[in-house]
Amino acid sequence: MSEGRGQWGSRLSFILAAAGSAVGLGNLWKFPYITGMNGGGAFVLIYLVCILLIGLPIMIGEVLLGRMSQSSVVGTFPKLRGEPTAWVSVGWLGVATGIVILSYYSVVAGWSLHYVWLAITGELLKSDPQTLFASTYADPAINLRYHSLFMAITAVIVLGGIKGGVERAARVLMPVLLLMMAALLAYATTLDGFGRAVDFVFGFHLESLTGDAVLEALGHSFFTLSLGMGAMLTYGSYLSRRDDVIAVSLATTALDTIVALMACLVLFPITFSAGMEAANGPGLVFINMPLAFASLPGGQIWSLAFFVLLFFAALSSAISLLEVAAAYLIDERGWSRRNAVLVTAGLVFVIGIPSALSGSTNGTFGAEAHWIGERNWFDTFDYLASNWMLPLGGLGIAGFTAWRLGGRAREASFKAGSKLGSLPGVYFAWLQLLRYAVPVAIVVVMLHALGVL
Ligand code: TRP
């Protein structure tokens, strides 16, 4: 092991930190809203298939690569090859992707901070949720203020090193988050719209499925599991050789998927009961949750708790996004942690400014601007990162793990410390998925999105 690299306190710490990275705005904000936009059922099914057959094998691959190399995403490839290699570009892509994602992620996370404040002042439950969100989204001053505040908080935590802070925070926050979701779910089952919501999420409505939706489901399975840019690889590099990679990957994937489905089963009953549309777009969680809280006894406390949790879920994910770029500068370029974090966080802040203007009337970056297709700057960044950069990075990571890693070392590492991984056929099945199913699926979906297939 290289000198000075930390390790997780226990297997549970890794699972909670990895789940902290995975569970975020992707689960609570994005998944429900893209499910709504893509008509529900069939989209959810394709998403689940993507998680199981593509996400999980890549998750195991990433954690395995990190544990084997014990270094950052850029250092991993040359280190495991034992020589300089063009595969290092997968690491570069990862660093760039982290910066792009965090730049707009921080803007949405900023909304959650703003809503925490509105919940404290009580304004949240006094205002019409639709108007409140529309005015939040459109206001450059609010967006810039909370974007910078959120980036500053993220930077401070990464500055102090993630181990003590993230590990301890995740141990409290993840269980609390699950409990909160369970309580909200219990409330949602009492609503009139619950039956319709279950049918919307789990009923099979093939007619509403499009090719773009398949690309979106694939892209989102990367996004929600924090795959394709080395975040899980970096976290995996803090595991010891005795840790069970298969079990921790399974647990992380399961937790993430459960929270995403719970989020849908909380949001859609509320949506339908209030007579609102499922295809409500990015405002879904910010409009519909306040709506529910307004009719709950103790609504102010509920709303405060909910947006604090949304903020913490976003924060534990943002930390992992920033850490990938910072770790690269520290590990490979010999920068001090302080300089690395200040420069990367500053860069992310600047690149995020256009996204902070995305709801405004600004002609270049605002709501009505068109970059790729009908998408404004914010949507273009999200589209490029989750639908293209992450799958491309995932392709690289899968390709390297399955074709370029020494077979014997890979098999020994896969089985080390893992009962599940040592069962007959498990290693073989994983390798075949990574060798054939994963690359073929990614390439086919991409060609389709390009209009070639
Ligand atoms: N998975 C997080 C979410 O669902 C976002 C995230 C954190 C992420 N780290 C990542 C996405 C790395 C892609 C890659 O909100």
Side-chain angles (χ1 to χ4, degrees):
M1 201 208 305
S2 49
E3 270 178 13
R5 289 186 64 84
Q7 267 183 13
W8 302 106
S10 73
R11 189 168 103 172
L12 185 63
S13 295
F14 171 87
I15 294 173
L16 293 175
S21 168
V23 175
L25 298 171
N27 306 63
L28 303 173
W29 163 72
K30 194 173 166 191
F31 182 62
Y33 106 68
I34 59 176
T35 298
M37 307 270 274
N38 286 300
F43 176 79
V44 174
L45 185 71
I46 293 193
Y47 162 79
L48 290 175
V49 170
C50 287
I51 293 279
L52 202 64
L53 295 185
I54 297 172
L56 183 59
I58 295 182
M59 168 86 77
I60 295 173
E62 270 205 35
V63 178
L64 194 73
L65 283 187
R67 194 187 60 170
M68 288 173 84
S69 77
Q70 304 272 311
S71 62
S72 83
V73 65
V74 175
T76 287
F77 297 93
K79 191 155 172 191
L80 292 181
R81 286 296 285 166
E83 60 189 13
T85 163
W87 288 93
V88 77
S89 51
V90 178
W92 288 110
L93 178 67
V95 170
T97 309
I99 291 171
V100 168
I101 293 181
L102 188 52
S103 78
Y104 66 87
Y105 200 83
S106 166
V107 172
V108 181
W111 300 342
S112 73
L113 263 179
H114 180 52
Y115 271 60
V116 168
W117 177 246
L118 293 174
I120 293 172
T121 62
E123 204 182 317
L124 184 59
L125 300 188
K126 276 187 243 135
S127 326
D128 168 47
Q130 201 110 35
T131 322
L132 190 63
F133 180 72
S135 60
T136 301
Y137 184 53
D139 189 335
I142 293 181
N143 276 278
L144 285 172
R145 184 178 331 135
Y146 285 101
H147 168 53
S148 47
L149 184 59
F150 183 80
M151 278 314 298
I153 297 172
T154 306
V156 165
I157 295 181
V158 179
L159 212 52
I162 52 161
K163 288 238 316 146
V166 178
E167 186 170 322
R168 234 176 297 145
R171 276 179 162 270
V172 178
L173 291 173
M174 284 310 295
V176 175
L177 183 92
L178 284 174
L179 279 178
M180 273 285 300
M181 293 299 292
L184 286 169
L185 183 58
Y187 163 71
T189 57
T190 67
L191 297 174
D192 296 341
F194 189 72
R196 196 174 142 210
V198 170
D199 178 60
F200 182 73
V201 177
F202 294 113
F204 192 66
H205 315 286
L206 196 56
E207 66 285 355
S208 44
L209 202 67
T210 63
D212 260 359
V214 178
L215 180 70
E216 181 137 37
L218 178 75
H220 188 67
S221 66
F222 283 94
F223 186 88
T224 190
L225 293 175
S226 301
L227 296 178
M229 55 152 279
M232 288 299 168
L233 189 155
T234 307
Y235 277 13
S237 75
Y238 302 118
L239 280 172
S240 92
R241 307 234 188 268
R242 276 160 288 120
D243 285 313
D244 183 342
V245 167
I246 319 303
V248 298
S249 302
L250 263 177
T252 306
T253 305
L255 271 173
D256 186 79
T257 307
I258 289 169
V259 174
L261 293 176
M262 281 172 99
C264 281
L265 291 180
V266 168
L267 273 165
F268 289 120
I270 293 170
T271 304
F272 294 142
S273 302
M276 298 170 81
E277 285 303 311
N280 215 345
L284 199 60
V285 89
F286 293 95
I287 295 169
N288 298 16
M289 291 312 288
L291 208 60
F293 296 135
S295 62
L296 270 183
Q300 190 175 1
I301 300 290
W302 276 93
S303 62
L304 181 61
F306 180 79
F307 286 105
V308 166
L309 282 168
L310 190 62
F311 161 62
F312 279 128
L315 186 60
S316 55
S317 300
I319 289 163
S320 73
L321 285 162
L322 189 61
E323 176 67 15
V324 170
Y328 155 70
L329 289 175
I330 297 167
D331 283 2
E332 309 299 319
R333 301 267 149 177
W335 288 35
S336 69
R337 176 163 282 269
R338 181 168 163 271
N339 288 349
V341 172
L342 290 181
V343 166
T344 46
L347 186 68
V348 170
F349 171 72
V350 173
I351 296 179
I353 291 176
S355 293
L357 303 178
S358 65
S360 73
T361 51
N362 183 288
T364 315
F365 302 116
E368 302 303 323
H370 293 164
W371 286 81
I372 297 184
E374 300 278 287
R375 298 174 185 88
N376 67 4
W377 177 272
F378 178 101
D379 292 337
T380 299
F381 254 35
D382 187 26
Y383 171 76
L384 284 179
S386 20
N387 293 12
W388 294 99
M389 296 168 88
L390 291 177
L392 213 56
L395 190 64
I397 288 167
F400 183 82
T401 311
W403 296 102
R404 279 289 164 269
L405 213 53
R408 209 165 303 158
R410 178 181 55 216
E411 181 166 356
S413 191
F414 183 93
K415 294 181 174 171
S418 179
K419 283 207 189 81
L420 205 61
S422 306
L423 290 177
V426 172
Y427 172 73
F428 180 79
W430 169 74
L431 192 58
Q432 301 315 308
L433 282 174
L434 223 48
R435 283 207 158 149
Y436 306 104
V438 168
V440 168
I442 295 177
V443 170
V444 165
V445 171
M446 283 184 166
L447 289 179
H448 181 81
L450 288 173
V452 180
L453 262 183

